[in-house]
Amino acid sequence: MSPSHIHVPTDCRTVTEILSRVGDKWSVQVVVQLGGGSKRFNELRRAVTGISQRMLTLTLRGLERDGLVTRKVYPTIPPRVDYQLTGLGCSLLKTVRGLGEWAIANRDEILAARQRFDTSGGDELDRKHSDAA
């Protein structure tokens, strides 16, 4: 390994913490939905299939706390609240879209690998590990 790849435990913790926020099921879906422009809470709730009101609230708060989403409150009755990606959130959206494109491009290969694994019962992997021991 080159010196630029030295393992620093604090870096790993930071990366793990951030990836757990931006990589969870609901955050990714909310970011993708907001990629089309600002949305109100109920618009997001309808667009993100299966998310509860509480989970959407927690997800939006976490994304806002991390600087990925902004929340704008309009002084109307009832109050209107719009959510929108920040510049940082838009940069995450690019990465999420890239990962989605990768998944689609490699779907058939992944499905074939799963089929091979399931057919062998995972025995091939177990044999390789026991042979190495």
Side-chain angles (χ1 to χ4, degrees):
M1 267 197 271
S2 68
S4 65
H5 292 91
I6 295 172
H7 175 77
V8 180
T10 54
D11 289 347
C12 288
R13 283 193 294 275
T14 300
V15 169
T16 299
E17 177 187 341
I18 292 170
L19 287 179
S20 69
R21 154 61 54 216
V22 300
D24 75 77
K25 173 183 178 179
W26 301 121
S27 293
V28 168
Q29 291 184 55
V30 168
V31 166
V32 168
Q33 290 301 319
L34 290 175
S38 69
K39 289 197 177 4
R40 296 176 75 174
F41 184 90
N42 283 328
E43 287 179 286
L44 282 169
R45 189 164 173 214
R46 284 189 298 273
V48 180
T49 306
I51 195 167
S52 68
Q53 181 172 334
R54 174 160 169 69
M55 185 52 67
L56 180 56
T57 298
L58 292 173
T59 300
L60 286 166
R61 282 184 187 162
L63 291 169
E64 185 179 8
R65 180 176 181 249
D66 289 344
L68 301 166
V69 168
T70 58
R71 177 178 181 264
K72 184 170 184 180
V73 180
Y74 295 91
T76 60
I77 299 176
R80 175 182 167 167
V81 181
D82 287 350
Y83 295 90
Q84 182 174 336
L85 291 178
T86 63
L88 186 61
C90 288
S91 69
L92 173 61
L93 178 63
K94 289 178 189 175
T95 302
V96 167
R97 284 184 174 154
L99 185 57
E101 290 167 5
W102 177 89
I104 291 166
N106 292 285
R107 176 183 50 211
D108 292 342
E109 189 173 342
I110 291 168
L111 292 175
R114 287 178 181 172
Q115 182 64 37
R116 286 190 304 274
F117 182 89
D118 292 347
T119 301
S120 72
D123 292 338
E124 184 178 320
L125 183 61
D126 292 338
R127 276 195 303 276
K128 286 181 182 176
H129 282 266
S130 64
D131 291 345

